[in-house]
Each structure stands twice: as structure tokens, then as C-alpha cells.
Amino acid sequence: MPAATRTSLDRTMGRDGVQHVRCQFIDLIGIARGRLVPRSAVAQASRRGLAFGAFGTTLDIDDIPSDPAIGSHSGDFWAIPDPASYAPLSWVPATAHMFC
């Protein structure tokens, strides 16, 4: 993400009173996975991404490994928050959401 976009996003989060961002992705079987990121770490997450292990993309709703044919074969991956998906969450105080 360009520095200007990071600065603009930080200003927007400040205006919205956001202190945490839920950074989420949808795994291979349709379950939302993610991480709660403090506002102070959003810029770094947008540069480096958020690390997720392969297990986080292949477990089903009962925490049982899904069929390896549809799972991740490459191990860990990095999810990068998309600032265009930023949205404050009205039902969670001081929290916003971004898809990765």
C-alpha cells in the first residue's frame, strides 16, 4: 500500500475513533479467518502482511483437517489488508474491518 494511502487510512481511523481492525480472509471452505490488529500495527501489516499458518486455511468448522486436495500445500502465507474494504463496525466499539 502506498504511504499516502496508509496516512489517509490512519487519519480516517482516527476520525472514526477506531483502535482495532479485524483483518479477515475467507478460507478454502468458506470460513472467515483473521486477526484483530491494533491501529498502531495496521501500517506495518499493510507493508509486510499478516502471517497465517497452513492449518488456518485447511481446518473445517469442527477443527478437522479438510481434504488435502482442496487445502493449502504451500504452508504459511501472508494476508495483506485491503484499505478499499475498510469499514467501521457499528456493533463493536472502536473497531473496523478490512478484507485481506
Side-chain angles (χ1 to χ4, degrees), residues 19-30:
Q19 293 303 313
H20 296 91
V21 177
R22 290 182 176 183
C23 295
Q24 293 184 311
F25 66 95
I26 306 300
D27 72 7
L28 296 172
I29 57 174

Side-chain angles (χ1 to χ4, degrees), residues 41-65:
V42 170
Q44 180 178 348
S46 70
R47 283 192 304 272
R48 293 184 42 206
L50 300 165
F52 288 92
F55 74 89
T57 64
T58 59
L59 296 180
D60 68 13
I61 198 164
D62 295 317
D63 289 333
I64 297 171

Side-chain angles (χ1 to χ4, degrees), residues 28 52-55 57-58 68 70-78:
L28 296 172
F52 288 92
F55 74 89
T57 64
T58 59
I70 62 170
S72 171
H73 301 288
S74 60
D76 296 347
F77 75 96
W78 298 87

